[in-house]
Amino acid sequence: MGMSLDKGELLPGENVVLTKNVNAIIRIEEHGLSRFAFDHVMKATGLRGAEAIGGQLHLTNYRLVFKSSAVNRVKGVFSIFLPTLREVRNTSSGVKRQI
């Protein structure tokens, strides 16, 4: 499973406008995952009790689509239709980039 969106994953009339490499942050306990051996140091990275899932975020003319890479413990795709978004803001700090 590549991170690019295949034609079969797009809705009729949907086109990819922009693609960026990103991480989706998930809560470990919500997915039934075991903790990492070095979990105690994750607090310093701001990821205590969380895990960064690498993948790509695709902006289409209809939605935002996140697709994970195959090397993650959690794999899959989720999307948010653009009309459901009320606001998108830059909440980055230091070298950490996030919206």
Side-chain angles (χ1 to χ4, degrees), residues 5-24:
L5 290 178
D6 302 322
K7 288 283 186 195
E9 295 175 296
L10 296 172
L11 302 170
E14 186 174 26
N15 300 301
V16 176
V17 176
L18 180 68
T19 297
K20 293 285 185 178
N21 292 330
V22 300
N23 290 314

Side-chain angles (χ1 to χ4, degrees), residues 21-25 42-48 50-52 89-99:
N21 292 330
V22 300
N23 290 314
I25 307 300
M42 296 305 284
K43 183 177 182 180
T45 65
L47 290 175
R48 185 173 185 169
E51 186 168 328
R89 350 180 232 118
N90 181 353
T91 58
S92 302
S93 65
V95 297
K96 187 168 135 185
R97 301 285 164 242
Q98 60 191 34
I99 58 169

Side-chain angles (χ1 to χ4, degrees), residues 76-96:
V77 178
F78 67 84
S79 66
I80 303 168
F81 284 95
L82 297 180
T84 64
L85 296 174
R86 295 189 322 185
E87 177 183 27
V88 176
R89 350 180 232 118
N90 181 353
T91 58
S92 302
S93 65
V95 297
K96 187 168 135 185

Side-chain angles (χ1 to χ4, degrees), residues 2-77:
M3 293 184 294
S4 299
L5 290 178
D6 302 322
K7 288 283 186 195
E9 295 175 296
L10 296 172
L11 302 170
E14 186 174 26
N15 300 301
V16 176
V17 176
L18 180 68
T19 297
K20 293 285 185 178
N21 292 330
V22 300
N23 290 314
I25 307 300
I26 62 167
R27 294 182 194 274
I28 293 171
E29 68 274 357
E30 289 179 2
H31 296 276
L33 299 173
S34 60
R35 299 218 179 251
F36 286 118
F38 54 88
D39 194 47
H40 62 284
V41 298
M42 296 305 284
K43 183 177 182 180
T45 65
L47 290 175
R48 185 173 185 169
E51 186 168 328
I53 305 300
Q56 288 187 326
L57 184 65
H58 307 276
L59 170 65
T60 76
N61 54 323
Y62 294 158
R63 59 196 172 132
L64 286 173
V65 182
F66 174 81
K67 187 172 182 180
S68 68
S69 68
V71 298
N72 295 293
R73 294 196 298 167
V74 175
K75 298 167 190 64
V77 178

